[in-house]
């Protein structure tokens, strides 16, 4: 961002030319009107006679506008805004003097001033000086507006860079969270459960060796430990990081639906769609969590007997819907776990919505692609 002159050269060129033409054009019309209508200055030799005011004003305005067009074309070729301070000053002076000379030639060619006349030559020199100053002023205003446009461009780039940095930091935090979740899930699934298995086996061995009633108590403790290992530890591991997610969101979704009771009618119209999409790890985890929460709510609160999971994707968004034939959410019902998932969806630019459908509840997750 140090070389702002190269950030948007076409845009700066448009700002330079439009501003210069507008300022120079307004000044040209003003000076022509002032010369003819206010000061009453008429050309000394125009068609061999003293012209009328309309004709004089038309000729002078045409000459001035033609000069502006020539200077604009020259400025478009030279592009003084691409130079530094000294180069800009020299180029503006050269363009202004060159434009003034062109104007003088056009004035002489149209008979506004007669060159053989010493008074005309003096007036022509004064016109050359004043027109040079006016053209330099117009070009200077154009360069001033280019500077304003550059400052605005700098601000936009800085804001964009800050936004991109925030997004990058957010993604890094999310990636780090997922990494920690995966490591904890693997530790629970591996080391902690393995320790529980060893303790459970030792309790069974001690129960077999014990001949007194304490053996029954040991077997009961081993059974409770096994239930804890199979239930709570596996559930905790799955909540931290879905076990089958490493094989893709479609595999994790199918594994999730396979755990539902056999009396629940399941319609899966999502896994095939998810298999063909390139999704971030955060989006995959969020999708599985939302579907899992939707299934849990449908069974526990809605008493559903049929659940349908649908996914649809276009160029802009992915929509995942969990609908059921249960009782549906009550008005003003607390979101509890869904509130946390909704915040995670908003963090990556998505939305999570729970509503009552025709037959039951409808949980809808929308994520940008």
């Amino acid at each position: 961002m140090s070389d702002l002159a190269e950030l948007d050269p076409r845009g700066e060129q448009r700002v330079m030319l439009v501003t210069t033409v507008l300022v120079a054009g307004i000044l040209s019309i003003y000076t022509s009107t002032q010369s003819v209508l206010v000061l009453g200055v008429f050309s000394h030799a125009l068609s061999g006679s003293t012209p009328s005011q309309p004709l004089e004003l038309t000729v002078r305005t045409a000459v001035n506008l033609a000069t502006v067009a020539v200077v604009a074309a020259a400025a478009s070729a030279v592009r003084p805004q691409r130079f530094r301070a000294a180069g800009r000053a020299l180029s503006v002076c050269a363009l202004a003097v060159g434009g003034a000379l062109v104007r003088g030639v056009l004035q002489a060619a149209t008979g506004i001033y007669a060159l053989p006349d010493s008074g005309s030559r003096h007036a022509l020199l004064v016109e050359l000086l004043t027109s040079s100053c006016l053209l330099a002023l117009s070009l200077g205003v154009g360069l001033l507006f280019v500077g304003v446009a550059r400052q605005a461009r700098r601000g936009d780039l800085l804001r964009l860079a800050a936004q991109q940095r925030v997004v990058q930091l957010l993604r890094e935090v999310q990636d780090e969270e997922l990494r920690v979740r995966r490591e904890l899930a693997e530790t629970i699934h591996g080391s902690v459960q393995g320790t529980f298995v060893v303790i459970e086996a030792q309790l069974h061995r001690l129960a077999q060796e014990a001949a007194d009633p304490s053996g029954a108590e040991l077997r009961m403790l081993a059974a409770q430990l096994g239930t804890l290992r199979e239930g709570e530890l596996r559930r905790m591991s799955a909540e931290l990081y879905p076990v089958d997610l490493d094989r893709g969101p479609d595999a994790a979704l199918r594994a999730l639906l396979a755990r539902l009771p056999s009396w629940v009618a399941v319609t899966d119209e999502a896994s095939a769609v998810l298999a063909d999409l390139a999704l971030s790890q955060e989006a995959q985890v969020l999708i599985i969590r939302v579907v899992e929460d939707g299934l849990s709510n449908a069974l526990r609160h809605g008493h559903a007997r049929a659940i349908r999971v649908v996914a649809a994707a276009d160029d802009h968004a992915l929509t995942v819907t969990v609908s059921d034939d249960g009782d549906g959410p009550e008005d003003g019902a607390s979101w509890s776990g869904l509130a946390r998932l909704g915040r995670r969806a908003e963090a990556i630019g998505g939305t999570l919505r729970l509503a009552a459908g025709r037959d039951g509840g409808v949980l809808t997750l929308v994520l940008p692609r």
Side-chain angles (χ1 to χ4, degrees), residues 4-5 78 102 114 131 161 164 232 271 277 288 305 309 323 331 346:
L4 294 178
V78 175
V102 170
S131 58
Q164 291 175 342
E232 295 300 320
S271 58
L277 299 178
I288 299 303
R305 300 187 66 86
V309 183
S323 57
D331 294 336
E346 292 175 357

Side-chain angles (χ1 to χ4, degrees), residues 27 45 50 53 60 123 168 172 217 232 239 272 300 355 358:
L27 291 177
T50 301
Q53 280 188 343
R60 284 180 177 269
Q168 181 182 354
E172 291 177 357
E217 294 181 0
E232 295 300 320
E239 285 184 356
R300 288 194 304 166
R358 291 183 301 175

Side-chain angles (χ1 to χ4, degrees), residues 78-122:
V78 175
R79 291 191 299 151
Q81 69 273 9
R82 63 192 173 99
F83 300 122
R84 298 192 180 276
R88 290 182 192 176
L90 290 176
S91 60
V92 166
C93 290
L95 290 170
V97 173
L101 291 175
V102 170
R103 181 171 181 262
V105 171
L106 292 176
Q107 286 177 328
T110 55
I112 294 178
Y113 293 104
L115 290 179
D117 185 87
S118 59
S120 296
R121 286 196 296 271
H122 179 267

